[in-house]
Amino acid sequence: MAAPLSDSDKRKQISVRGIAGLGDVSEVRKSFNRHLHFTLVKDRNVSTPRDYYFALAHTVRDHLVGRWIRTQQYYYEKDPKRIYYLSLEFYMGRTLQNTMLNLGLQHACDEAIYQLGLDMEELEEIEEDAGLGNGGLGRLAACFLDSMATLGLAAYGYGIRYEFGIFNQRIINGWQVEEADDWLRYGNPWEKARPEYMLPVHFYGKVEHTSEGAKWVDTQIVLAMPYDTPVPGYKNNTVNTMRLWSAKAPNEFDLQEFNVGDYIQAVLDRNLAENISRVLYPNDNFFEGKELRLKQEYFVVAATLQDIIRRFKSSKFGCRDPVRTCFDTFPDKVAIQLNDTHPALAIPELMRIFVDVEGMEWDKAWDVTKRTCAYTNHTVLPEALERWPVHLFEKLLPRHLEIIYAINQKHLDEVAAMYPGDMDRLRRMSIIEEGDCKRINMAHLCVIGSHAVNGVARIHSEIVKNSVFKDFYENEPHKFQNKTNGITPRRWLMLCNPGLADIIAEKIGEDFVTDLSQLKKLLDFVDDESFVHDIAKVKQENKLKFSAYLEKEYKIKINPASLFDVQVKRIHEYKRQILNCLHVITLYNRIKKDPSKIFVPRTVMIGGKAAPGYHMAKMIIKLFTSVANIVNNDPVVGDRLKVIYLENYRVSLAEKVIPASDLSQQISTAGTEASGTGNMKFMLNGALTIGTMDGANVEMAEEAGDDNLFIFGMRVEDVEALDKKGYNAQDYYDRIPELREAIDQIKDGRFSPREPDMFKDVVNMLMHHDRFKVFADYEDYIKCQARVDQLYMNLREWTKKVIKNIACSGKFSSDRTISEYATEIWGVEPSAVKIPPPNIPRE
């Protein structure tokens, strides 16, 4: 097969998205050279590739800044309702290419860099991922920021500027090893420190009740320093802000120590305060009740709410004097969206500010708070729900504990009035959970303190209403909504798959970039032979390119004609990477039994990080890498089956692997994956899905038609029925010979000959403690995979299904999701107004 075209070769071919004007190109070159020589002060004559990256980043940033300032001026003058998206995670990935794309600068920069004799792809690879998130929740927040800017909403993302993001994963001898992600080591050209907006955050202390009300005194102060990152919309000159807080110790930190002469210790102890923003907790769908984590949650909320209230009070640009002193209009001007329960403390903190600081009476403050806040639920797994010990609150946030008790008392009084004598219901609906260790249920606080509660896919929102928050739903059904997640088509099609974006644009024009429902028009071309050929060709080019990447990174030769079968996501028992692994073992056994038989060649890839303390997830990685080691080195197998663990899966790696994938594995136990967004990225990029009826898979099947996905396994009601009956893994083990053979091989050390007992914990879990019922879906999954093979042998029919999937993926744009949040939760309308660019004078 021909070698894949490099991106610079592709760039030289005429793109349907236009050629850069010569003026733009020379302007970019001038700016690049200026930054190279004057911004990057150097004591050497030779520039490094990193210097070139920074020069380009500064060049692109120059185009952002004018639009950024103008956007903020526009908001101050128009004074629209502002949306505040509070999230402990923003998984942004890289910024350079995304910014060039959204500003319409990509071609000019490409051409200028080419003329300068540099390689654009090489420069892009230098940028560190901003990995300030664990997985779906943090990446969703990033997609939402892109959509909010593209839809012209006055929106702000608020979070923490972690010094160390999600750890870098190394695979050493098949085991995951974590390394610190020092992503700020070389500086970050995309952020701007704003010390003038630094704010104090209080911890510890005690509460005094005086005639003027409650006072929180003797607190420890930590300063919150904001760093702003511009978030450009797509070609509309809107540039919104993501503001991330960094913890700083005040200069008078622990002067008592200084006064007894231990000045050195006092300075060293500043670290204790600054640790708050040091590192992202690396847990996905798992609650870790550590004091430092609670500090992080309060830190982001306390700093953000001060900022929100400052902005509410002073409405004109550059004006710091309060203009508004009455809070009646607060919910008309401010919407706060809580991304999961992590920022739940916004509710009691807003109450504290209104009641203790602003002197509002309780009922009014509660009404304003509820009308301002809305809560998104992201999980139904019990181990993921935040339940904080009361004694921790008592020490760290004593006033908030009092406020939560008061909120709970009023809430329980209302419930008791509605359901007299139903003590069981009161216990179930309380924010405070009694027991050996009294706990605060943060999800209950969020539901009670918000005017809207939403799940993130239709099936998930139904589970939220019918089981997780059943009592609350019966009480206030009007609060509960569904907002199916989405992904931004800018990053997840235009940026990562320009070849596919181009041939789509040739057929239906470019409007799909901001209105993804336009992809429906592709259904007219399902039987167009040349279009079918073009789609298959783009996929093959992407596969060739990714094969070359794998060969370079892993020194393993891939058959690019094989079916690229991919499962990339966090490693978790509920996501059932182990079911995928059992399929690999089954395929391996079949090839070994009948080597002369024709097999559809496959390259199976799994990638993802395991939380450092999650033993079973780490064992799953070790099992998969051990199986890979045996399969890849068996001469009988050859290139019919290759198994690869994709190390250090992150946003920038997702951008490479997703466009090259043929098959996307979304195989969680029905009722456990709230939505999934990886599933949507694969669908948009022309991979077919093998999956259970879980999360957004249900709606994907509805959009594209069941027969255009490979659906298998139990439905939610089947899982519930099996729970009632009792799941017994032994029954399946006894009944299914191929399953029994695979489990016996794992147990007997077939894949760990030097340590035959290595996987005994995995086998023991599968046989006796498997909450996610892997064996119950095994048989149907294996049969479904055979249907995949069958279809893959007919490239034309396979590609027609691919086209149908792409054509029907429009619903899964985050633009659609954000439009629904805007109109149905925040009470604002998306705006198509294009702010004039900085070079055009304002009227």
Side-chain angles (χ1 to χ4, degrees):
M1 270 176 192
L5 284 174
S6 73
D7 275 21
S8 54
D9 287 337
K10 274 194 200 154
R11 186 194 49 69
K12 280 178 267 180
Q13 296 178 352
I14 291 179
S15 158
V16 295
R17 289 197 298 280
I19 294 296
L22 291 177
D24 299 340
V25 176
S26 69
E27 189 47 53
V28 168
R29 280 182 61 173
K30 262 192 279 191
S31 182
F32 178 90
N33 282 319
R34 195 171 62 243
H35 281 299
L36 193 58
H37 293 112
F38 300 113
T39 310
L40 306 167
V41 180
K42 295 193 296 292
D43 56 2
R44 57 180 191 274
N45 297 322
V46 182
S47 296
T48 65
R50 179 163 279 107
D51 293 325
Y52 297 137
Y53 160 70
F54 272 97
L56 179 58
H58 283 104
T59 299
V60 172
R61 195 180 69 176
D62 291 344
H63 288 259
L64 267 176
V65 171
R67 289 170 171 83
W68 197 11
I69 292 167
R70 187 162 270 199
T71 301
Q72 301 314 309
Q73 283 174 334
Y74 180 82
Y75 291 159
Y76 273 103
E77 284 161 12
K78 299 284 183 214
D79 196 25
K81 183 171 185 176
R82 289 172 164 85
I83 315 305
Y84 296 100
Y85 196 81
L86 269 63
S87 181
L88 268 281
E89 301 185 17
F90 285 96
Y91 201 171
M92 303 300 287
R94 292 172 175 162
T95 296
L96 173 63
Q97 202 183 348
N98 191 72
T99 305
M100 295 189 300
L101 180 78
N102 278 10
L103 293 184
L105 279 174
Q106 208 169 11
H107 290 285
C109 291
D110 261 352
E111 186 56 42
I113 292 301
Y114 175 69
Q115 289 178 12
L116 289 161
L118 299 171
D119 183 325
M120 178 61 98
E121 242 181 304
E122 227 169 81
L123 299 191
E124 287 167 351
E125 283 298 315
I126 289 167
E127 183 174 359
E128 300 277 350
D129 279 49
L132 309 186
N134 277 286
L137 174 137
R139 185 51 235 171
L140 183 81
C143 283
F144 279 4
L145 291 183
D146 181 90
S147 284
M148 289 189 282
T150 298
L151 291 171
L153 299 174
Y156 303 76
Y158 273 95
I160 293 178
R161 180 183 178 264
Y162 300 106
E163 199 176 312
F164 296 91
I166 184 67
F167 60 86
N168 284 318
Q169 178 195 56
R170 304 245 76 68
I171 301 293
I172 297 176
N173 295 326
W175 294 98
Q176 168 176 298
V177 176
E178 299 89 20
E179 287 177 359
D181 166 43
D182 192 2
W183 72 290
L184 292 169
R185 179 176 21 200
Y186 300 108
N188 173 7
W190 305 107
E191 67 182 7
K192 171 85 181 81
R194 304 300 299 273
E196 68 274 26
Y197 290 111
M198 190 141 61
L199 294 166
V201 174
H202 298 259
F203 293 101
Y204 304 110
K206 61 184 189 210
V207 184
E208 289 176 355
H209 290 274
T210 67
S211 53
E212 284 106 61
K215 297 220 178 329
W216 184 17
V217 298
D218 300 338
T219 56
Q220 267 189 31
I221 291 177
V222 175
L223 298 176
M225 159 88 92
Y227 285 79
D228 287 355
T229 299
V231 179
Y234 182 72
K235 292 188 177 176
N236 64 350
N237 297 324
T238 295
V239 180
N240 284 343
T241 303
M242 173 176 70
R243 176 163 285 184
L244 302 180
W245 301 102
S246 183
K248 303 287 267 179
N251 280 337
E252 62 276 15
F253 186 77
D254 238 352
L255 273 178
Q256 304 90 312
E257 293 276 351
F258 173 60
N259 291 335
V260 298
D262 200 346
Y263 159 72
I264 296 292
Q265 196 52 50
V267 173
L268 296 180
D269 284 350
R270 293 168 61 89
N271 265 339
L272 298 175
E274 294 176 0
N275 276 340
I276 290 175
S277 58
R278 194 80 65 207
V279 61
L280 167 76
Y281 272 84
N283 300 317
D284 191 67
N285 277 301
F286 183 79
F287 168 59
E288 188 170 359
K290 295 281 199 319
E291 182 174 342
L292 179 60
R293 174 65 173 184
L294 187 57
K295 276 186 174 171
Q296 289 182 341
E297 294 186 353
Y298 180 63
F299 174 74
V300 67
V301 153
T304 299
L305 285 177
Q306 290 179 74
D307 223 26
I308 289 173
I309 284 166
R310 170 190 59 76
R311 209 177 270 121
F312 169 75
K313 284 182 171 180
S314 62
S315 66
K316 280 281 172 243
F317 186 65
C319 163
R320 299 262 182 109
D321 304 322
V323 175
R324 297 190 182 98
T325 47
C326 163
F327 284 92
D328 290 0
T329 60
F330 194 75
D332 303 325
K333 288 294 176 189
V334 173
I336 294 174
Q337 190 67 38
L338 308 176
N339 192 27
D340 215 343
T341 55
H342 313 142
L345 286 166
I347 292 164
E349 173 67 359
L350 205 47
M351 287 298 287
R352 185 188 71 80
I353 294 169
F354 286 156
V355 174
D356 295 0
V357 180
E358 300 293 343
M360 275 166 85
E361 62 91 25
W362 180 277
D363 287 342
K364 172 132 188 258
W366 184 239
D367 175 61
V368 171
T369 297
K370 267 173 70 165
R371 285 165 51 213
T372 302
C373 296
Y375 159 57
T376 300
N377 172 275
H378 281 277
T379 183
V380 299
L381 298 178
E383 65 267 33
L385 295 176
E386 292 198 293
R387 296 153 64 250
W388 286 103
V390 162
H391 66 81
L392 199 53
F393 261 77
E394 218 156 19
K395 179 172 88 160
L396 194 68
L397 300 167
R399 178 59 181 143
H400 297 78
L401 183 61
E402 290 183 351
I403 289 169
I404 288 168
Y405 271 127
I407 290 170
N408 196 40
Q409 192 54 58
K410 277 197 171 298
H411 160 66
L412 292 181
D413 290 347
E414 286 169 20
V415 175
M418 287 178 76
Y419 304 94
D422 191 344
M423 295 311 291
D424 209 34
R425 182 181 282 265
L426 285 181
R427 183 186 53 73
R428 289 196 309 267
M429 292 184 73
S430 175
I431 299 173
I432 310 297
E433 295 179 355
E434 303 294 339
D436 297 346
C437 169
K438 257 189 168 176
R439 291 178 178 274
I440 300 170
N441 185 315
M442 302 304 268
H444 288 185
L445 175 62
C446 286
V447 172
I448 293 160
S450 298
H451 69 276
V453 176
N454 72 282
V456 288
R458 196 176 57 229
I459 184 175
H460 169 233
S461 297
E462 289 305 308
I463 292 169
V464 161
K465 292 192 302 197
N466 301 331
S467 89
V468 191
F469 300 132
K470 184 171 190 284
D471 297 313
F472 296 92
Y473 174 63
E474 286 170 2
N475 222 18
E476 299 182 286
H478 59 273
K479 262 190 189 183
F480 289 80
Q481 303 190 14
N482 173 55
K483 297 283 167 276
T484 299
N485 283 342
I487 56 170
T488 166
R490 271 73 63 185
R491 184 177 295 265
W492 296 112
L493 178 57
M494 303 273 289
L495 182 154
C496 72
N497 203 342
L500 180 59
D502 268 357
I503 61 171
I504 292 172
E506 272 171 17
K507 281 291 179 206
I508 64 170
E510 291 173 45
D511 291 352
F512 70 91
V513 181
T514 48
D515 176 11
L516 207 60
S517 65
Q518 301 259 340
L519 292 178
K520 273 269 190 284
K521 293 176 181 171
L522 294 176
L523 289 173
D524 295 343
F525 304 103
V526 169
D527 294 312
D528 176 331
E529 291 304 329
S530 75
F531 187 63
V532 171
H533 172 265
D534 287 347
I535 291 282
K537 183 165 173 276
V538 163
K539 178 62 76 180
Q540 197 51 39
E541 280 178 2
N542 290 338
K543 287 172 74 172
L544 281 163
K545 190 172 178 191
F546 194 60
S547 299
Y549 171 83
L550 288 176
E551 205 172 322
K552 180 167 149 270
E553 295 294 319
Y554 297 93
K555 311 293 177 262
I556 184 164
K557 199 132 181 61
I558 300 300
N559 172 3
S562 64
L563 187 154
F564 281 19
D565 168 347
V566 180
Q567 187 180 21
V568 282
K569 49 186 75 253
R570 284 300 288 254
I571 308 297
H572 200 298
E573 286 163 88
Y574 89 84
K575 293 178 186 284
R576 298 201 297 191
Q577 282 92 352
I578 209 148
L579 182 56
N580 189 347
C581 198
L582 288 173
H583 174 242
V584 170
I585 295 171
T586 304
L587 281 183
Y588 174 62
N589 288 335
R590 286 179 180 179
I591 293 170
K592 292 289 280 182
K593 278 198 184 71
D594 192 354
S596 59
K597 194 176 162 197
I598 300 281
F599 286 91
V600 172
R602 262 189 203 240
T603 303
V604 181
M605 302 177 231
I606 290 186
K609 293 174 182 176
Y614 188 173
H615 169 70
M616 190 50 68
K618 290 186 139 181
M619 288 308 302
I620 290 167
I621 293 176
K622 178 60 176 169
L623 175 62
F624 189 79
T625 55
S626 301
V627 170
N629 195 37
I630 297 291
V631 172
N632 294 345
N633 292 302
D634 192 323
V636 173
V637 175
D639 68 355
R640 287 180 288 187
L641 182 58
K642 282 279 182 271
V643 183
I644 296 177
Y645 197 89
L646 296 171
E647 188 178 65
N648 201 31
Y649 181 66
R650 58 204 184 280
V651 176
S652 56
L653 183 51
E655 289 164 8
K656 293 179 175 71
V657 66
I658 292 171
S661 301
D662 292 306
L663 187 69
S664 155
Q665 299 233 22
Q666 310 294 336
I667 57 179
S668 50
T669 313
T672 60
E673 187 72 88
S675 164
T677 45
N679 46 3
M680 303 168 185
K681 292 163 195 168
F682 282 101
M683 184 187 195
L684 181 59
N685 282 278
L688 299 187
T689 300
I690 183 166
T692 48
M693 277 297 198
D694 196 23
N697 293 359
V698 176
E699 289 158 81
M700 284 162 51
E702 195 174 276
E703 293 295 304
D706 285 14
D707 54 340
N708 291 308
L709 283 77
F710 298 99
I711 299 293
F712 73 93
M714 297 178 287
R715 309 305 200 246
V716 169
E717 47 281 14
D718 302 322
V719 175
E720 286 167 359
L722 189 52
D723 275 329
K724 278 203 184 75
K725 176 181 147 214
Y727 167 68
N728 182 6
Q730 188 75 40
D731 294 346
Y732 301 93
Y733 174 86
D734 292 340
R735 187 172 59 74
I736 307 166
E738 286 190 310
L739 172 63
R740 185 167 60 249
E741 181 183 22
I743 295 300
D744 288 349
Q745 288 172 326
I746 295 170
K747 187 169 64 186
D748 300 341
R750 173 73 179 83
F751 302 106
S752 53
R754 290 187 183 166
E755 279 182 75
D757 285 347
M758 183 182 284
F759 300 116
K760 66 177 193 304
D761 288 358
V762 177
V763 173
N764 183 43
M765 178 275 288
L766 287 170
M767 294 300 294
H768 306 293
H769 315 285
D770 180 9
R771 293 163 55 201
F772 303 107
K773 305 174 180 63
V774 169
F775 290 3
D777 275 341
Y778 169 84
E779 202 169 19
D780 201 20
Y781 176 61
I782 298 294
K783 284 180 185 155
C784 194
Q785 285 281 20
R787 296 207 306 276
V788 171
D789 281 346
Q790 202 55 43
L791 186 66
Y792 190 72
M793 288 195 280
N794 185 338
L795 183 62
R796 185 165 166 277
E797 289 307 310
W798 178 279
T799 307
K800 286 166 89 162
K801 280 196 194 297
V802 164
I803 294 167
K804 285 177 192 165
N805 270 269
I806 296 169
C808 296
S809 60
K811 175 180 181 176
F812 305 107
S813 167
S814 48
D815 298 345
R816 186 266 318 149
T817 312
I818 287 298
S819 295
E820 289 178 12
Y821 274 97
T823 54
E824 294 162 30
I825 295 180
W826 304 329
V828 293
E829 287 295 326
S831 154
V833 172
K834 199 169 172 179
I835 297 172
N839 55 343
I840 293 175
R842 289 185 306 159
E843 286 152 25

